[in-house]
Amino acid sequence: MSQSHQPDSSNSDVEDLTPSSSAVDHSPLSLQVPTSPTAKSLGGETLRSRAESFNSTAETTRSRANSFNSKAETARSRSNSLLTTVRSRFEGDDWTTEEALRPDKNNEKDFEVENSPFAFSPGQLNKTLNPKSLAAYKALGGIYGLEYGLQTDLVAGLSVDETTLPGKVSFEEATSPTRSQKPLEARRIIAQDVIVTDRQVQGQFHDRKRVFNDNRLPAKKAVSIWQLFWNAYNDRVLLILTAAAVISLALGIYEAVGQPPQEGEGPSVDWVEGLAIMVAIIIVVLVTGLNDYRREKQFTALNAKKDDRQVKAIRSGKSVMISVFDVMVGDILHLESGDAIPADGILVSGHGVRCDESSATGESDAMKKTAGSEAWQRILEGSATSKLDPFIISGSKVLEGVGTYLVTSVGVNSSFGKIMMGLQTENEETPLQAKLSRMANWIGALGTSAAGLLFFVLLFRFFAGLPDSTETPARKGQIFLDILIVAITIIVVAVPEGLPVAVTLALSFATKRMFKENNLVRHLRACETMGNATTICSDKTGTLTQNRMTVVAGLLGTQVNFARDTDMNDEEKAVLTLASAFGKLSPVTRNLLLQSVAINSTAFEGEEDGKATYLGSKTETALLTMAKEFLGMGPVAEERAGVEVVQLFPFDSDRKCMGVVIRLASGSYRLLVKGAAEIMLAHATQELSDISGVSLDTAVLSETASMRVSANIEDFATQSLRTIALLYRDFPVWPPVEVQTLEEDRSMAVFEDVFDDLVFLGVVGIQDPLRDGVAHSVKRCQDAGIVVRMVTGDNLTTASAIAIQCGIKTEKGLVMEGPKFRQLSDEDMDSMLPKLQVLARSSPDDKRILVSRLKHLGETVAVTGDGTNDGPALKMADVGFSMGIAGTEVAKEASAIILMDDNFSSIVKAVMWGRSVNDAVSKFLQFQLTVNITAVVLAFVSAVSSPDMHSVLSAVQLLWVNLIMDTFAALALATDAPTEKILDRKPTPKRAPLITTNMWKMIIGQAIYQLIVTFVLYFAGYNILGYNEQCSAEDLTQRYQTECGYLTGLAFETCQIEHCTEALNTQLNTMVFNTFVWMQIFNEFNNRRLDNKFNIFENVLKNQFFIGINCIMVGGQVMIIFVGGKAFQITRIDGPQWAVCILCALPCLLWAVLLRCIPDKYAATVFGFVARLWLAGARPTIRVLALLFRPVGRGWRQLSRHVFAPTRRFSSRTAGKIWKRKAVEEEEPRSKGAAAATADVEAGDSSERAQLASLTAPPQQAPPPITLTTAT
């Protein structure tokens, strides 16, 4: 659709955006405010501080009617008044227009735009809001200058076919006061039967994006994979291990090269261990970095989805839903109560628009907005006041009213965008991550203590053997390093740094899958919290029901009953069909009913999935559909265009109704009200005497008629119908005499004063069927120990009927109305809450009180909400669910999870995934602690008992075990998808320990089994396997000579018995290592279950991650045994030896079965007794160790401060410089390419622009200055 004007062309390729003196009035902008004898300069304040700006009676009582209808009595009539003119006392409003648009030093680039087809630059548009400035608004030509300069249309919006703009609009043309301006009400109404598709035009809005950008904020600079590698490596323990490995490698090379080998031995190969440790460190860093990189990518994608939402825009004259990222400068957007404003702009038109700008400006008062055309008219008249505020600020929220506004700044140029650019934060840490971090520190401290004890024990043995040692100095240094490396490696294994990583992986996996199941997680903590929810307070409409409203029954006047379906007809009541009932209406009654439905509504025509439909509240769309089908209603825009709306009363959840005042052709006024039927009936005192009459004759609403209407409402409610009543009242003048008016606008009446003595027009029953599967989902929640409560605004009867259908209401359940609920004392409320199942006729404040009391009772509360007033309850709840379809932006912002389909069944999915996250962490914790205990104890005991002070698990072997624990197991155990069976248990209490009795039973039991097996192999395996016989002098077989040669590098002839013994010991140690790793692999299957059931293979084939990770671990272990050699200090083993390893490891599966057969209560008793004994003996030991190691701790801190910290800072600075230089080098080719592409496009357009003739602007005349007048 074409725009309403074509811009003038220009011969210049570069737009001069500096305002010309001939086009712009340079007179000071003044405001009309009353003088006060004590008035002081407010030079530091802005228009945002309207609450503090001269709140005198003379100003507040000034009405809009006076300013428009009594122009002759304005401040310009100085001869008959005691008014004097003074300059404005507000920052920015006493500037000349040239000063108002002067660039600031830090944003001069925003004022420089090349080849712009628009009259204004982003910087000039921002001057209206930096701070709010009527002077800048005047300099830009007001609302009409912005419309012309931005090449848009205030009614039709942008064209969906716009790509590049062929002509230019100069600053002088846009701000010319002599240019003809067509008022909004005089413009052509756009045909509403035109379907505007949401198709993407190639190159759509190219010029707008190039000049003003789109409504996206630049993504937080992603951490490069190299930075993630560095972060993974920048661990104190790994750095110390690296230093030890380097020294070990240097000494090994020195021994191999600089020291001659002893007689009968080959060259030293001790350097292999240092090299192997370094390779193992590199592998650990690579795997950890890649894991973190994958996690960052997933959360970046989820954050992008989290920030996206749909907004209502007008394009090519049609209301459409577009992504908030697609909002452009020049767009016309709808405003409704509850909307979060996505971009800066100027109000085009509206009724009673008030905004909460506290989040954007810090202003706590609700800011009343003035239409841009009215503000411009007042500027031209010289009667502008400080209360004129046509400015719409991004990031603020619409509290009430409806309207449209023109977008002037988007993305990084908008007010909210500039704030958010400085507030981009890192991913939040969830409570579970914090708990596990503390546990990891505690476990790490125990492991470090064990490593320290081992180090000093071995060190004392080393010092004690020095006098009798015949080793070379290099060999002695190597022995010392081996002791240090073993101790450090035990620390690496003992510190469970994989615990927080496991939570992150589980959350990442769960949130991604939850999004596919219509749950958009905005806060990660909600995911884990939802798994332990004990109660859900759910809305009815759209959550439990389908939110597909249809009028199925009703009452016209108090006599005519109608119903849509034959099964609802009642011959005794003479129920008519809808067509027959509405056919009885006279033209005047039909017109009245049509006004009540079409005018008193915020819904509008639009499209969904390419089909014309009504957008807005489902109740209102049902009424509009009824009016279209049976009242002959045409396009809604045309119905509303011929009616003058005087005042609008937006829907209020407390009074359960909405209203509108229109001016009739006769000059009188009519108030139209619709809302909850039982409440409306209480305010009706009259009724239409004859719906077929030629005039609207009314009669007193008798008690009999009122009871008949009330009975119909009750009957509709028992059929689960939502009942909406329609009322009206005529007034000769507006506002009526002797009613209160709004303080800020005396032409507006207070609703409560006119909401009485109304005429009853009729009532309709709207059906909203239950969603499929809701009853089953409610039953699953109840089986899972979750109490489901319904909180609705419907009346008691309707709410009870729906609750019974859903399965929420039981025989012993309690149903209560909101007004009674809120009157209860805290004690009475707490006593009845366990029985409360339905809260009817509730307000948002009732929901907030309900959530507060439930949390006070220790419940974990989930709440659903869709309205603006639901925000406090959503914020207060442990988990707030907002509606992705019907929810307002305020509700979405307050919530933790957005239900993309508004379906209760999706909440059940969230519960399942929340429990899955908690289970995944528990599984990993159980697995990790088992490995930690076994590895640390095995390494400690074997090192202390070994004559050469070597652990049976070498440093490289322990690093491989650490890789299995911290990365592979986390990936495998964190990716089990939940099943329905996860709902068969009760929620976990808030204060429940991380490690349950059943987990301790499995951890301790498996650790005992693994230690027994490995100790038996290590200490008795030599005899059990008959190795003592195979290394006798007379039975030195060829095979073991070969093994000896492989191990030591000796020739066959020189391989003696001691060499054979060494080879067999290496084989035995290899078997211990191999058995230990295989026990961890089998135990990983055990940890797939946290209960006492036996089927550990349930759904294992559905988890491809688990299967893949285990294949990697098995393949890696087999490869290590066959080719690890000297690096891992192992040797190949044959088939029988492999069989021994597997057969020793496999019974851990059977052992787990036996452990599960032990009742948890018996295990808890045993553990409690052992814990008391351990504490009794450990406390004195801990005190002694603390006393002994305190000097060591001080020395370590000094070493860290003076050695490690400077080294780390130097490395970080060096690495940062390298990455920064690399980023600059990569950016230059991209920027050059982008500039070249832009130049090509602009060069192609310049030839077209040159062909357009430049139109001469008419003589320009500046508007009169706004006069600031004060009473003397």
Side-chain angles (χ1 to χ4, degrees), residues 501 871 925 1174:
V501 175
L925 182 60
W1174 185 86

Side-chain angles (χ1 to χ4, degrees), residues 838-1102:
V838 179
L839 188 61
R841 286 187 61 195
S842 64
S843 68
D845 196 50
D846 296 330
K847 184 184 291 188
R848 181 189 60 79
I849 295 172
L850 175 63
V851 173
S852 175
R853 296 315 302 173
L854 286 171
K855 291 186 68 176
H856 175 73
L857 294 176
E859 303 276 1
T860 301
V861 186
V863 172
T864 67
D866 56 5
T868 301
N869 291 337
D870 289 327
L874 291 170
K875 275 286 188 184
M876 182 175 290
D878 294 290
V879 181
F881 287 88
S882 63
M883 305 296 109
I885 300 174
T888 63
E889 297 307 322
V890 173
K892 293 177 184 178
E893 192 67 26
S895 66
I897 299 177
I898 299 176
L899 296 178
M900 307 300 291
D901 59 351
D902 294 7
N903 194 340
F904 185 85
S905 298
S906 298
I907 300 178
V908 181
K909 294 289 186 182
V911 174
M912 294 172 60
W913 277 107
R915 294 191 175 188
S916 176
V917 169
N918 292 328
D919 285 357
V921 174
S922 296
K923 293 173 185 177
F924 179 74
L925 182 60
Q926 180 174 302
F927 175 80
Q928 175 126 45
L929 289 181
T930 303
V931 183
N932 273 13
I933 293 172
T934 309
V936 172
V937 173
L938 179 61
F940 185 95
V941 173
S942 61
V944 171
S945 62
S946 172
D948 56 1
M949 297 181 291
H950 282 171
S951 167
V952 67
L953 299 177
S954 68
V956 181
Q957 293 173 9
L958 287 172
L959 288 175
W960 165 243
V961 172
N962 187 65
L963 190 64
I964 291 176
M965 289 193 310
D966 289 341
T967 303
F968 291 152
L971 284 170
L973 294 174
T975 52
D976 267 334
T979 64
E980 288 285 336
K981 294 182 180 180
I982 205 170
L983 297 175
D984 292 340
R985 66 173 190 260
K986 303 301 180 184
T988 304
K990 288 183 177 180
R991 298 186 180 275
L994 281 175
I995 308 176
T996 63
T997 300
N998 185 63
M999 291 173 63
W1000 275 121
K1001 180 177 67 177
M1002 299 301 295
I1003 292 169
I1004 301 299
Q1006 284 292 336
I1008 290 174
Y1009 173 80
Q1010 293 181 16
L1011 286 173
I1012 290 175
V1013 171
T1014 51
F1015 281 156
V1016 168
L1017 275 178
Y1018 180 69
F1019 290 107
Y1022 202 86
N1023 295 323
I1024 293 174
L1025 298 176
Y1027 286 174
N1028 56 341
E1029 299 176 357
Q1030 296 181 21
C1031 264
S1032 61
E1034 62 275 5
D1035 191 23
L1036 189 60
T1037 64
Q1038 175 73 28
R1039 171 189 167 202
Y1040 289 103
Q1041 288 178 344
T1042 304
E1043 292 290 346
C1044 173
Y1046 171 77
L1047 177 67
T1048 62
L1050 300 178
F1052 170 74
E1053 296 79 7
T1054 60
C1055 189
Q1056 303 299 321
I1057 293 177
E1058 61 271 18
H1059 301 139
C1060 176
T1061 303
E1062 184 178 354
L1064 291 175
N1065 283 335
T1066 303
Q1067 286 188 351
L1068 186 61
N1069 290 345
T1070 301
M1071 293 177 64
V1072 173
F1073 166 64
N1074 196 31
T1075 303
F1076 175 79
V1077 172
W1078 277 98
M1079 283 193 291
Q1080 311 317 317
I1081 294 173
F1082 290 136
N1083 192 41
E1084 192 179 6
F1085 285 86
N1086 286 329
N1087 289 297
R1088 294 189 71 247
R1089 292 204 79 105
L1090 293 171
D1091 52 22
N1092 284 322
K1093 296 181 180 179
F1094 299 148
N1095 187 6
I1096 60 176
F1097 300 102
E1098 184 177 6
N1099 295 321
V1100 69
L1101 296 178
K1102 295 181 179 180

Side-chain angles (χ1 to χ4, degrees), residues 450-510:
L453 181 61
L454 174 63
F455 175 75
F456 283 106
V457 170
L458 298 182
L459 186 62
F460 293 153
R461 286 183 56 186
F462 172 71
F463 287 152
L466 283 179
D468 300 328
S469 177
T470 59
E471 301 286 352
T472 63
R475 182 58 185 166
K476 292 177 183 178
Q478 184 66 51
I479 294 173
F480 173 78
L481 279 177
D482 289 343
I483 296 173
L484 178 63
I485 288 172
V486 170
I488 294 173
T489 309
I490 287 180
I491 296 177
V492 173
V493 175
V495 174
E497 65 271 14
L499 287 180
V501 175
V503 184
T504 304
L505 289 172
L507 288 172
S508 173
F509 181 75

Side-chain angles (χ1 to χ4, degrees), residues 1044-1198:
C1044 173
Y1046 171 77
L1047 177 67
T1048 62
L1050 300 178
F1052 170 74
E1053 296 79 7
T1054 60
C1055 189
Q1056 303 299 321
I1057 293 177
E1058 61 271 18
H1059 301 139
C1060 176
T1061 303
E1062 184 178 354
L1064 291 175
N1065 283 335
T1066 303
Q1067 286 188 351
L1068 186 61
N1069 290 345
T1070 301
M1071 293 177 64
V1072 173
F1073 166 64
N1074 196 31
T1075 303
F1076 175 79
V1077 172
W1078 277 98
M1079 283 193 291
Q1080 311 317 317
I1081 294 173
F1082 290 136
N1083 192 41
E1084 192 179 6
F1085 285 86
N1086 286 329
N1087 289 297
R1088 294 189 71 247
R1089 292 204 79 105
L1090 293 171
D1091 52 22
N1092 284 322
K1093 296 181 180 179
F1094 299 148
N1095 187 6
I1096 60 176
F1097 300 102
E1098 184 177 6
N1099 295 321
V1100 69
L1101 296 178
K1102 295 181 179 180
N1103 189 346
Q1104 303 299 323
F1105 268 104
F1106 186 87
I1107 296 174
I1109 292 299
N1110 276 276
C1111 289
I1112 293 175
M1113 288 194 295
V1114 170
Q1117 180 63 19
V1118 172
M1119 185 177 66
I1120 287 172
I1121 296 299
F1122 278 97
V1123 300
K1126 186 64 177 177
F1128 282 82
Q1129 297 183 13
I1130 58 175
T1131 186
R1132 292 189 184 96
I1133 56 178
D1134 56 18
Q1137 291 169 327
W1138 268 101
V1140 171
C1141 296
I1142 300 299
L1143 291 177
C1144 287
L1146 191 59
C1148 73
L1149 299 176
L1150 299 176
W1151 179 248
V1153 173
L1154 295 177
L1155 292 175
R1156 287 188 168 97
C1157 292
I1158 301 174
D1160 289 348
K1161 60 180 181 180
Y1162 297 150
T1165 302
V1166 173
F1167 291 151
F1169 177 73
V1170 173
R1172 286 192 293 271
L1173 289 179
W1174 185 86
L1175 287 175
R1179 283 170 181 165
T1181 305
I1182 292 174
R1183 293 192 186 100
V1184 172
L1185 290 176
L1187 186 63
L1188 292 175
F1189 284 99
R1190 188 170 297 144
V1192 178
R1194 292 172 182 168
W1196 177 262
R1197 285 192 293 270
Q1198 292 297 325

